[in-house]
Amino acid sequence: LNECKPTVLIISTPCTGMKGFSALSRAINHAGWLRSRRVSVPLANLAGIAASAQMKAGRHFIAEHPQSSDLWQLPVWRVIAYQSSVVRVVVHQCMAGLKGQRSGLPIMKPTEFWASDPLLVAHLQGLRCDGNHRHANLECPKGAPGDKARDAARWPQKLCHLIAKGCEDLLRREKKKKRATYRGSASGLDHPVSPRQPARRAAVHRLPRDSVQIQCSPQSAVYDETVRAFRCRAHRDQCQPELRLRVDG
């Protein structure tokens, strides 16, 4: 992360042993449940550290896990939850096109998304089941025909597109911010350039009517928001208040 510095980090760690049938597995196959947790919990903690690092660096993340997963209760993620910029959205993946490979029926799979900026999950809002269809049953016994939980492990194409759209919106906004900051620093001003400000090339201190004009350095010009014009830093104390700098170009 420190080397590549991604603007947006997409996080999706294994949920085995943390949600779904983990409670049942803990009771009937405790050893298998522990093996799953040995993998999923360290990865969940690592994901939380990565998300925190992104936010501290002024960058962004979007994380996905089943709704009410144990991941969201880990200490590192509880700290992230208290950040004011973090937003959470619950998505029913049946509304995003997730279907069982065997039955062809929609799979509900309530999924929770956390993001460091509302733009990242703006297109996921409102994806809640409308109740107009029957859902696939993922509780089939081992070896029995029917859809399995692993069939729902992949994001449907529509969900991928919506996440990508949110990332695109954020990247476009960040690009505009960088352009505005660059324009402000390149102009030599102490503040970003206002969209209404003209480019500063040759500044002439204009005296009233037919008076003599004093040539001023562009670096001495200060933009006055109240009159939307430049004032001369060098001559403003010697001239009348109504005098303005005319900026060519």
Side-chain angles (χ1 to χ4, degrees), residues 34-110:
L34 287 176
R35 284 195 300 271
S36 298
R37 298 277 291 190
R38 290 193 193 106
V39 175
S40 57
V41 172
L43 289 176
N45 283 320
L46 178 61
I49 294 172
S52 298
Q54 283 287 102
M55 297 184 69
K56 288 180 181 178
R59 300 190 296 268
H60 301 278
F61 78 89
I62 177 171
E64 173 267 352
H65 234 244
Q67 185 181 17
S68 303
S69 168
D70 293 346
L71 175 141
W72 308 123
Q73 303 304 320
L74 295 176
V76 64
W77 284 100
R78 296 316 306 164
V79 172
I80 294 174
Y82 288 121
Q83 301 294 322
S84 59
S85 62
V86 173
V87 293
R88 289 176 273 188
V89 174
V90 175
V91 171
H92 294 165
Q93 291 198 40
C94 59
M95 302 303 292
L98 183 62
K99 294 183 178 181
Q101 295 181 0
R102 294 173 176 83
S103 68
L105 294 174
I107 299 177
M108 187 176 185
K109 194 181 181 181

Side-chain angles (χ1 to χ4, degrees), residues 5-16:
K5 296 179 173 60
T7 303
V8 181
L9 178 66
I10 300 177
I11 300 172
S12 181
T13 62
C15 61
T16 52

Side-chain angles (χ1 to χ4, degrees), residues 156-185:
Q157 191 174 38
K158 179 180 177 180
L159 181 61
C160 295
H161 287 170
L162 294 175
I163 293 172
K165 180 62 177 173
C167 294
E168 180 186 8
D169 292 344
L170 184 136
L171 291 174
R172 289 182 183 276
R173 187 195 68 189
E174 295 298 311
K175 188 175 182 179
K176 288 181 180 179
K177 283 184 178 180
K178 288 182 179 179
R179 283 180 177 176
T181 303
Y182 175 77
R183 287 171 55 199
S185 60

